């Protein structure tokens, strides 16, 4: 089928080189069509004739255009209490061992469902306290999802899987024109601090130590050497009892010297496992 915009192998290679350099994301051959469909709306909006002309435009454009390019190419799929066993581990293992105040980092937080789920799990652990001694740092490379996450407003269907009791306790129901939406209650919202952070940057504007780092469903986009470099930086940021949480299809066996598995996609620093 003919395409609205000219799109060559060289265009795809250029996109792949840029997104790897900017975000560490390795696009395999299979992402060719996905890239076209993600970029075409922007190319149409700019009134350009081809993918190549868009890439040439980017070469002349400033930071905002590049940030938008990254936003378009990141996949932000997420949900509340995704991989629910992690929230049980957080309540049963991490929080009882933690000394307050507790600090947790959600390092690829997308639209906020993950850090808000962490905050709710912690509030539950503290019997629904209004201001539990827990802070959740939530970061992502995508500037648009961070703005969305900060609002804390979700379509009702996004919270369908959450237990009614938790929904009542931690969300406000929209009324009138907003009845299809819910909003995270201020107490939970205050526990989470959002900011833009690129895991590929040499300087992260946050400091350890953390009781837990949630790094879920983002390493799959990186190659093994990029993963290793990030894991090397996470390791000293965890407190002695701290855990690293990974996504269901991610494993860090290539970094056994840094992290050892402690259960279903959870890891602890290897140096502590050696010391016993
Ligand atoms: C599939 S979502 C995962 C969301 C959530 N952690 C979860 O498991 O449900 C992947 C997220 O990683 C972010 N991401 C991709 N590359 C990144 C990078 N270099 N630095 C920080 N975040 C990145 C994307 O913007 C996206 O929001």
């Amino acid at each position: 089928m003919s395409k609205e915009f000219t799109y060559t192998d060289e265009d795809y290679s250029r996109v792949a080189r840029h997104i790897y350099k900017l975000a560490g994301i390795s696009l395999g051959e299979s992402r060719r069509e996905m890239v076209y469909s993600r970029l075409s709306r922007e190319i149409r909006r700019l009134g350009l004739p081809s993918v190549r002309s868009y890439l040439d435009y980017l070469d002349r454009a400033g930071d905002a255009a590049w940030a938008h390019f990254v936003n378009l190419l990141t996949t932000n799929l997420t949900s509340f209490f995704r991989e629910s066993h992690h929230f049980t581990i957080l309540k049963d293992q991490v929080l009882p061992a933690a000394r307050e105040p507790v600090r947790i980092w959600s390092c690829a937080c997308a639209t906020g469902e993950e850090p808000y789920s962490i905050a709710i799990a912690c509030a539950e652990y503290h019997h629904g306290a209004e201001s539990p001694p827990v802070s959740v740092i939530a970061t992502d490379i995508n500037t648009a999802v961070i703005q969305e996450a900060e609002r804390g407003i979700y379509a009702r269907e996004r919270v369908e899987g959450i237990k009614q009791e938790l929904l009542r306790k931690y969300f406000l129901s929209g009324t009138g024109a907003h009845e299809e939406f819910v909003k995270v209650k201020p107490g939970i919202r205050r526990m989470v601090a959002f900011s833009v952070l690129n895991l590929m940057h040499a300087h992260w504007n946050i400091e350890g130590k953390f009781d837990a780092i949630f790094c879920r469903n983002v390493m799959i986009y990186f190659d093994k050497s990029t993963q290793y470099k990030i894991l090397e930086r996470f390791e000293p940021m965890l407190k002695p009892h701290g855990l690293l949480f990974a996504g269901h299809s991610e494993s860090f066996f290539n970094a056994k010297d840094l992290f050892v598995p402690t259960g279903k996609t959870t890891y602890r620093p290897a140096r502590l496992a050696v010391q016993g």
Side-chain angles (χ1 to χ4, degrees), residues 204 224-234:
W204 292 343
K224 288 287 172 199
S225 76
T226 304
Q227 289 183 9
Y228 189 88
K229 284 183 203 140
I230 293 170
L231 292 171
E232 247 179 338
R233 296 171 72 186
F234 282 161

Side-chain angles (χ1 to χ4, degrees), residues 22-25 74-79 82-83 106-111 114 139-142 145 197-200 215-218 221-222:
L22 292 168
I25 295 171
T74 53
T75 298
N76 313 115
L77 188 79
T78 186
S79 58
R82 183 180 194 183
E83 296 165 49
S106 162
C107 76
C109 69
T111 37
E114 178 178 281
T139 62
D140 198 286
I141 193 175
N142 185 316
V145 293
L197 183 145
N198 182 350
L199 290 168
M200 298 305 293
C215 181
R216 306 190 309 163
N217 305 302
V218 60
Y221 300 104
F222 302 153

Side-chain angles (χ1 to χ4, degrees), residues 250-271:
E250 294 162 326
S251 68
F252 302 142
F253 294 119
N254 63 317
K256 275 199 202 99
D257 55 326
L258 298 172
F259 283 101
V260 291
T262 58
K264 214 166 146 195
T265 53
T266 58
Y267 293 81
R268 66 188 291 225
R271 69 189 141 96

